[in-house]
């Protein structure tokens, strides 16, 4: 499948998606988001792909939604076409793990897209923000909600109300990103993490992802019960038996994803 606004590569069980609108710092227009959604669906359906990485360029992961495309739109336009939701939620529906590899700017919709991924690996030059207040509006792709869950109310309010940017070190301290690495090694680090995940049982990886995500949708007691039921269910799998037997025999497991 050919794309105009992204590039897709496959390597060692990992699907790599590069946002590719360099002239506008990967601003997220409708065409790019449609292509991203289509690519994610293709990778999700490909059994050879076991993890996904989304990245941009050294200058920008994505500098936000494309203001030139949306500035003249009205309420009815956005409401009737279900703007943002229609093409922006594909990342959240992926059952395979998705890593955001962020260098440079991740602002507005770019920050929201990164937060939709399972975790973020940031380059040391990365900067994050939800500066929509500066153009008279607010985040609309989950920015206020995911940011508050990631960094807490005070920090989310600070970023959304002032529109200031947060550098990579602050983002790591605040819990927005999983790790910070040199810009020159960002993609290598992200791909290495994805390959490590891809080497495990695909079923076990999905169970872990489902369990962690449930922590943001349920009470602690309900989440612990859900986790325990998934643990019990995993003991009905061939991969649990193989994994533990391989551990006892001091050999590499041979996963069946069953």
């Amino acid at each position: 499948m050919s794309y105009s606004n992204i590039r897709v590569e496959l390597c060692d069980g990992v699907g790599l998606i590069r946002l590719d609108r360099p002239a506008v710092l990967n601003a997220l227009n409708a065409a790019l988001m449609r292509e991203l959604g289509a690519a994610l669906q293709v990778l999700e359906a490909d059994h050879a792909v076991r993890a996904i990485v989304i990245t941009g360029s050294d200058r920008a992961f994505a500098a936000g939604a494309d203001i030139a495309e949306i500035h003249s739109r009205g309420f009815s336009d956005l409401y009737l076409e279900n703007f943002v939701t229609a093409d922006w939620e594909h990342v959240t529906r992926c059952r395979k793990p998705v890593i955001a590899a962020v260098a440079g700017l991740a602002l507005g919709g770019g920050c929201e897209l990164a937060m939709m991924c399972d975790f973020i690996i940031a380059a040391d030059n990365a900067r994050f923000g939800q500066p929509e207040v500066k153009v008279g509006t607010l985040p609309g792709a989950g920015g206020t909600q995911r940011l508050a869950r990631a960094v807490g109310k005070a920090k989310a309010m600070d970023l959304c109300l002032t529109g200031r940017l947060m550098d990579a070190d602050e983002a790591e301290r605040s819990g927005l990103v999983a790790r910070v690495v040199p810009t020159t090694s960002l993609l290598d680090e992200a791909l290495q993490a994805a390959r490590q995940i891809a080497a495990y049982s695909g079923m076990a990886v999905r169970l872990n992802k489902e369990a962690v995500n449930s922590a943001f949708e349920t009470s602690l007691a309900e989440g612990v019960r859900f986790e325990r039921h998934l643990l019990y269910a995993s003991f009905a799998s061939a991969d649990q038996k193989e994994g533990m037997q391989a551990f006892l025999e001091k050999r590499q497991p041979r996963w069946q994803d069953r």
Side-chain angles (χ1 to χ4, degrees):
M1 186 173 182
S2 61
Y3 304 99
S4 301
N5 300 282
I6 63 174
R7 288 180 285 150
V8 180
E9 305 168 36
L10 303 178
C11 182
D12 298 331
V14 176
L16 173 63
I17 301 175
R18 298 177 187 264
L19 309 182
D20 191 28
R21 297 186 72 211
V24 289
L25 298 177
N26 295 331
L28 304 173
N29 64 359
L32 185 151
M33 296 310 294
R34 281 195 298 270
E35 290 184 6
L36 177 61
L40 287 168
Q41 289 177 312
V42 169
L43 295 175
E44 182 78 357
D46 187 342
H47 295 300
V49 174
R50 302 171 67 83
I52 300 167
V53 173
I54 301 176
T55 195
S57 67
D58 287 348
R59 292 183 63 201
F61 178 74
D66 193 333
I67 302 299
E69 182 180 67
I70 64 174
H71 77 284
S72 62
R73 310 285 281 282
F75 166 79
S76 60
D77 300 319
L78 302 183
Y79 180 75
L80 292 174
E81 72 181 45
N82 202 16
F83 175 68
V84 177
T85 302
D87 289 315
W88 284 65
E89 295 291 331
H90 291 288
V91 178
T92 66
R93 293 194 287 269
C94 283
R95 297 183 70 199
K96 295 176 182 178
V98 183
I99 301 170
V102 176
L105 300 174
L107 307 182
C111 186
E112 290 173 302
L113 176 60
M115 288 191 292
M116 290 180 193
C117 298
D118 293 309
F119 64 92
I120 302 170
I121 298 177
D124 52 18
N125 75 337
R127 290 186 291 166
F128 300 85
Q130 298 291 165
E132 286 87 346
V133 70
K134 293 184 177 182
V135 294
T137 186
L138 73 160
T144 60
Q145 305 305 298
R146 291 190 176 92
L147 188 62
R149 284 165 170 76
V151 304
K153 176 184 174 182
K155 187 76 72 173
M157 282 289 192
D158 178 10
L159 293 171
C160 290
L161 296 184
T162 68
R164 77 173 180 87
L165 306 189
M166 181 164 61
D167 66 22
D169 288 338
E170 183 182 0
E172 185 181 31
R173 290 196 309 270
S174 302
L176 180 62
V177 308
R179 58 181 101 161
V180 177
V181 301
T183 302
T184 53
S185 61
L186 172 66
L187 192 55
D188 288 340
E189 293 273 357
L191 289 174
Q192 176 56 34
R195 291 188 189 104
Q196 184 176 5
I197 294 168
Y200 298 136
S201 159
M203 191 196 65
V205 165
R206 293 185 191 190
L207 288 173
N208 276 270
K209 174 173 174 171
E210 188 174 358
V212 173
N213 281 334
S214 75
F216 296 94
E217 306 293 338
T218 64
S219 68
L220 175 60
E222 291 168 338
V224 169
R225 280 194 294 271
F226 182 67
E227 174 191 80
R228 190 170 298 126
H229 285 304
L230 290 183
L231 170 68
Y232 297 162
S234 74
F235 274 69
S237 71
D239 281 354
Q240 174 270 326
K241 298 295 184 291
E242 168 63 13
M244 292 190 177
Q245 190 63 38
F247 176 83
L248 293 173
E249 295 175 1
K250 296 181 172 56
R251 61 173 175 81
Q252 290 298 311
R254 295 180 288 273
W255 305 120
Q256 302 178 44
D257 295 335
R258 295 175 61 84

